């Protein structure tokens, strides 16, 4: 996003009287920024490789990190004959979340 676009978005948000509409605009901006962050991280990693690299004002560390895949508990339970009630005895306490999701 360019500086002009950010200023326009900020001006738009300041004129919106509905918090629901403001959430939608901010959510779209957050998604666009997340995409830009991902793209620039990939570009930096490809350009500089692993290690610590300095910019004019800040620095970054680029690391190759191995991440394990997730466990398919449904297949695991079937393979070992584990019933849902048995699996639940190993489950940590749940929590309640409130989700507010903008609708397009």
């Amino acid at each position: 996003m360019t500086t002009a676009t950010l200023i326009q978005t900020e001006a738009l948000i300041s004129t919106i009287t509905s918090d629901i509409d403001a959430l939608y605009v901010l959510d779209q901006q957050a998604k666009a920024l997340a995409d830009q962050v991902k793209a620039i991280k990939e570009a930096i990693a490809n350009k500089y490789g692993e290690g610590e690299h300095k910019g004019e004002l800040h620095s970054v560390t680029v690391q190759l990190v191995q991440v394990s895949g997730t466990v398919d508990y449904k297949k695991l339970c079937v393979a070992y004959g584990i019933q849902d009630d048995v699996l639940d005895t190993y489950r940590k306490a749940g929590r309640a979340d409130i989700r507010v999701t903008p609708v397009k």
Side-chain angles (χ1 to χ4, degrees):
M1 234 179 245
T2 65
T3 302
T5 304
L6 291 171
I7 292 169
Q8 289 172 345
T9 302
E10 188 65 34
L12 172 63
I13 291 170
S14 67
T15 63
I16 294 175
T17 57
S18 167
D19 53 356
I20 292 171
D21 294 337
L23 172 65
Y24 179 82
V25 171
L26 289 171
D27 183 67
Q28 295 304 306
Q29 185 180 13
K31 287 177 182 175
L33 286 172
D35 290 343
Q36 286 180 333
V37 167
K38 182 179 179 182
I40 200 163
K41 282 182 176 183
E42 289 174 4
I44 288 170
N46 289 329
K47 182 176 180 180
Y48 297 104
E50 286 191 86
E52 187 171 326
H53 309 286
K54 295 186 183 295
E56 292 177 21
L57 302 173
H58 304 283
S59 61
V60 297
T61 301
V62 178
Q63 296 175 300
L64 177 61
V65 180
Q66 295 295 324
V67 179
S68 297
T70 58
V71 174
D72 186 336
Y73 283 101
K74 189 171 187 170
K75 286 183 181 178
L76 177 77
C77 291
V78 169
Y80 288 92
I82 301 170
Q83 301 297 317
D84 286 342
D85 58 336
V86 174
L87 181 63
D88 286 341
T89 62
Y90 294 94
R91 192 176 305 279
K92 294 180 180 179
R95 59 180 163 71
D97 281 342
I98 297 174
R99 293 184 183 159
V100 179
T101 307
V103 180
K104 292 183 180 181

